[in-house]
C-alpha cells in the first residue's frame, strides 16, 4: 500500500509539475510572440490587426517572411517613386525657369533704360510675350494632364471621319514642316471616309501632337506618313511613321513620361512643353484604347493608336 500511495503521489506531482511548466512555457512564448506581432503591427496595422496570434513557429515564420517580402517590395516601389519625383521636380523647374528668366531679363533691361528706345522696347516686349506664352502653354498642358490622371476630364464621344482629322493636322502643321522641308502625306489616297467613335477634339490633339513630334525629330527633307488600317472588325489603327533620327531602345519605355526628353541638352532648341507624348498616352487611356511605339535608331519611328470603328453611313459612301 505504501508503494502504491508513493507511486500515485509521484505521478500526480509529475502531472501537476508538467502542466504548470507547460503553462508557464506557453505563456512565456505567447508573450514573446505577441511582442513580435505588436512590433510588426506598428509598421503595418492592416496586415496583422485582425489576425489571431499564433504560437506555431512555422506559421509565424511564414507570416513574418511574407511581411518582409511585402515591405521590401513596398520600399523598392517607394524608392522608384522618389527617384521619379526628384527627376520630375527637376524637369518642371527647368522647363519653367527658362522662360521665366527670359521674361525677367527683358523686363529688367527695359526698366534699366532700354524702354526709351522705341525699336528696342517693341522687340523686347515681343520676346517677353513669347516667354509668357510658353509659360501658359506649359501650365495649360500640366492642368490637362492632371485632369486626365484623376479622371476629371470629360470626353464628348461622337462619330467622325478620322481622315478629315488627319488632313486638319496636316493643314495646321504645313508651315512648320516646310521649315525642314518635311513632306506630310498619307500612305495612299483615302477617297472614302473612315468613321470612328471618340472625342474628336482630343483625337485631333493626339494626331497633332504625334505629327509635331515627328517633325521635331525628323530629318531635313524627310517624310511623315500616316496610314489608317483595319485592325479587327470594330477597330482601326492609325500609324504615324517618319524617317527621322529614331529613338534608342533604352529610351522607349520612358517616352510617355512627363517632361522626359531623349535629347538631354539644356538648349531645348525644339521647344514644346515636354508633355505632348504624356498627354497623348493619357487621352488614349481615357478612351480605353492602346498606343504603341516602334523605332530603329538612325532610321525612324512609328507611333500608332487604335480607335473604335463605326459603319460609314450610305450617304457618305456614295459621296
Amino acid at each position: 500500500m505504501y508503494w502504491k500511495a508513493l507511486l500515485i503521489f509521484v505521478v500526480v506531482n509529475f502531472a501537476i509539475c508538467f502542466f504548470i511548466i507547460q503553462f508557464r512555457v506557453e505563456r512565456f512564448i505567447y508573450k514573446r510572440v505577441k511582442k513580435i506581432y505588436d512590433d510588426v503591427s506598428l509598421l503595418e496595422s492592416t496586415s496583422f490587426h485582425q489576425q489571431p496570434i499564433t504560437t506555431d513557429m512555422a506559421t509565424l515564420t511564414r507570416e513574418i517572411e511574407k511581411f518582409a517580402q511585402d515591405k521590401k517590395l513596398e520600399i523598392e516601389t517607394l524608392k522608384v517613386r522618389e527617384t521619379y519625383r526628384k527627376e520630375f521636380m527637376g524637369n518642371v523647374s527647368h522647363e519653367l525657369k527658362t522662360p521665366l528668366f527670359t521674361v525677367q531679363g527683358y523686363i529688367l533691361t527695359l526698366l534699366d533704360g532700354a524702354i526709351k528706345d522705341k525699336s528696342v522696347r517693341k522687340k523686347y516686349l515681343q520676346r517677353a510675350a513669347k516667354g509668357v506664352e510658353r509659360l501658359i502653354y506649359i501650365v495649360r498642358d500640366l492642368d490637362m494632364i492632371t485632369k486626365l490622371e484623376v479622371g476629371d476630364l470629360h470626353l464628348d464621344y461622337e462619330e467622325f471621319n478620322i481622315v478629315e482629322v488627319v488632313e486638319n493636322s496636316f493643314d495646321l502643321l504645313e508651315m512648320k514642316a516646310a521649315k525642314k522641308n518635311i513632306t506630310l502625306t498619307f500612305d495612299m489616297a483615302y477617297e472614302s471616309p473612315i468613321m470612328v467613335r471618340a472625342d474628336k477634339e482630343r483625337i485631333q490633339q493626339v494626331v497633332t501632337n504625334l505629327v509635331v513630334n515627328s517633325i521635331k525629330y525628323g530629318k531635313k527633307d524627310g517624310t511623315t506618313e500616316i496610314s489608317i488600317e483595319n485592325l479587327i472588325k470594330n477597330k482601326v489603327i492609325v500609324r504615324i511613321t517618319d524617317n527621322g533620327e529614331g529613338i534608342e531602345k533604352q529610351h522607349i519605355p520612358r517616352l510617355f513620361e512627363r517632361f522626359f526628353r531623349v535629347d538631354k541638352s539644356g538648349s531645348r532648341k525644339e521647344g514644346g512643353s515636354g508633355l505632348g507624348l504624356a498627354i497623348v498616352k493619357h487621352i488614349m487611356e481615357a478612351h480605353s484604347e492602346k498606343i504603341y511605339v516602334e523605332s530603329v535608331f538612325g532610321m525612324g519611328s512609328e507611333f500608332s493608336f487604335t480607335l473604335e470603328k463605326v459603319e460609314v453611313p450610305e450617304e457618305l459612301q456614295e459621296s
Side-chain angles (χ1 to χ4, degrees), residues 131-196:
V132 173
E133 285 178 7
R134 177 163 167 75
L135 283 170
I136 293 171
Y137 186 71
I138 293 171
V139 172
R140 184 193 65 192
D141 281 356
L142 275 172
D143 180 61
M144 174 177 287
I145 208 168
T146 300
K147 288 180 178 178
L148 284 165
E149 286 179 343
V150 300
D152 194 32
L153 190 66
H154 178 67
L155 296 177
D156 294 317
Y157 281 86
E158 60 179 297
E159 295 181 4
F160 60 91
N161 182 8
I162 186 63
V163 177
E164 183 183 300
V165 168
V166 174
E167 288 173 343
N168 290 341
S169 293
F170 282 174
D171 292 341
L172 181 66
L173 300 170
E174 184 179 7
M175 292 183 65
K176 187 178 183 69
K179 290 179 181 179
K180 296 177 72 172
N181 199 29
I182 290 176
T183 303
L184 305 178
T185 182
F186 284 101
D187 66 320
M188 57 178 283
Y190 290 93
E191 297 178 356
S192 299
I194 300 175
M195 303 300 291
V196 297

Side-chain angles (χ1 to χ4, degrees), residues 290-309:
K290 301 290 185 182
I291 182 161
Y292 309 95
V293 56
E294 295 180 11
S295 185
V296 178
F297 186 64
M299 296 185 64
S301 305
E302 179 183 282
F303 288 82
S304 58
F305 60 91
T306 60
L307 286 172
E308 180 185 349
K309 183 181 178 182

Side-chain angles (χ1 to χ4, degrees), residues 93-296:
S93 174
H94 181 89
E95 295 292 342
L96 292 177
K97 77 180 180 182
T98 301
L100 273 173
F101 288 168
T102 300
V103 172
Q104 183 186 45
Y106 287 130
I107 291 175
L108 289 176
T109 303
L110 290 171
L111 290 175
D112 285 341
I115 196 170
K116 296 177 182 178
D117 187 326
K118 290 185 178 180
S119 60
V120 173
R121 178 175 62 198
K122 184 177 180 181
K123 180 173 67 175
Y124 279 20
L125 285 174
Q126 287 174 339
R127 291 179 179 177
K130 286 184 179 179
V132 173
E133 285 178 7
R134 177 163 167 75
L135 283 170
I136 293 171
Y137 186 71
I138 293 171
V139 172
R140 184 193 65 192
D141 281 356
L142 275 172
D143 180 61
M144 174 177 287
I145 208 168
T146 300
K147 288 180 178 178
L148 284 165
E149 286 179 343
V150 300
D152 194 32
L153 190 66
H154 178 67
L155 296 177
D156 294 317
Y157 281 86
E158 60 179 297
E159 295 181 4
F160 60 91
N161 182 8
I162 186 63
V163 177
E164 183 183 300
V165 168
V166 174
E167 288 173 343
N168 290 341
S169 293
F170 282 174
D171 292 341
L172 181 66
L173 300 170
E174 184 179 7
M175 292 183 65
K176 187 178 183 69
K179 290 179 181 179
K180 296 177 72 172
N181 199 29
I182 290 176
T183 303
L184 305 178
T185 182
F186 284 101
D187 66 320
M188 57 178 283
Y190 290 93
E191 297 178 356
S192 299
I194 300 175
M195 303 300 291
V196 297
R197 184 176 182 275
D199 185 317
K200 185 177 180 179
E201 182 181 346
R202 299 304 172 197
I203 297 303
Q204 182 77 71
Q205 187 175 10
V206 167
V207 174
T208 301
N209 282 3
L210 291 176
V211 174
V212 165
N213 198 65
S214 72
I215 296 171
K216 187 185 298 183
Y217 297 105
K219 292 179 180 177
K220 189 176 180 181
D221 303 321
T223 302
T224 293
E225 181 182 275
I226 293 187
S227 64
I228 306 165
E229 307 167 12
N230 288 320
L231 188 62
I232 55 177
K233 184 178 180 181
N234 65 330
K235 293 285 183 182
V236 296
I237 185 165
V238 182
R239 304 183 190 273
I240 296 92
T241 308
D242 65 69
N243 56 356
E245 59 192 56
I247 306 160
E248 293 181 88
K249 189 175 181 180
Q250 67 268 25
H251 295 314
I252 291 178
R254 300 193 60 193
L255 279 180
F256 297 102
E257 289 182 12
R258 290 175 289 182
F259 294 113
F260 178 78
R261 293 179 189 265
V262 174
D263 178 15
K264 296 297 183 182
S265 64
S267 63
R268 299 296 199 258
K269 61 181 180 180
E270 296 293 347
S273 67
L275 295 166
L277 289 181
I279 289 173
V280 165
K281 173 178 176 286
H282 284 291
I283 289 175
M284 297 317 301
E285 286 180 347
H287 282 81
S288 299
E289 298 289 353
K290 301 290 185 182
I291 182 161
Y292 309 95
V293 56
E294 295 180 11
S295 185
V296 178

